[in-house]
């Protein structure tokens, strides 16, 4: 049974999200936390079912002293 276009789109979004997460991780390693947050948010938009995207973004908020946002965004 061939994949539906929705399945193909979902697979593409999963791959895109993972690539974006890798970009975010590189930014995080460079201590570019605000840019990393934006990338993690992009990854979440494409694939909201990966807890690591949320926790990584929350860590960025913590490191930029955005404690309230870190707590809020961990409740997904």
């Amino acid at each position: 049974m061939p994949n539906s276009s929705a399945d193909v789109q979902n697979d593409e979004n999963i791959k895109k999200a993972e690539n974006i997460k890798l970009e975010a991780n590189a930014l995080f390693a460079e201590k570019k936390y605000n840019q990393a947050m934006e990338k993690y948010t992009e990854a979440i938009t494409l694939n909201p079912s990966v807890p690591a995207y949320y926790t990584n973004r929350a860590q960025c908020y913590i490191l930029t002293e955005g404690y309230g946002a870190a707590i809020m965004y961990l409740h997904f």
Side-chain angles (χ1 to χ4, degrees), residues 26-76:
L27 291 164
F28 184 93
E30 295 173 14
K31 298 183 180 182
K32 296 178 179 177
Y33 304 123
N34 288 319
Q35 291 171 304
M37 275 187 267
E38 291 174 13
K39 290 291 183 180
Y40 289 127
T41 300
E42 285 181 46
I44 290 165
T45 300
L46 290 168
N47 186 8
S49 65
V50 180
Y53 300 164
Y54 295 90
T55 58
N56 290 358
R57 182 175 66 178
Q59 183 64 25
C60 291
Y61 279 112
I62 290 167
L63 292 169
T64 58
E65 299 183 2
Y67 305 117
I71 293 168
M72 181 178 69
Y73 286 123
L74 278 177
H75 291 96
F76 54 93

Side-chain angles (χ1 to χ4, degrees), residues 8-33:
V8 171
Q9 182 65 40
N10 190 46
D11 289 346
E12 289 175 8
N13 284 349
I14 290 169
K15 289 175 186 175
K16 285 180 189 176
E18 192 59 24
N19 286 331
I20 290 169
K21 183 206 66 163
L22 295 175
E23 293 175 29
N25 289 350
L27 291 164
F28 184 93
E30 295 173 14
K31 298 183 180 182
K32 296 178 179 177
Y33 304 123

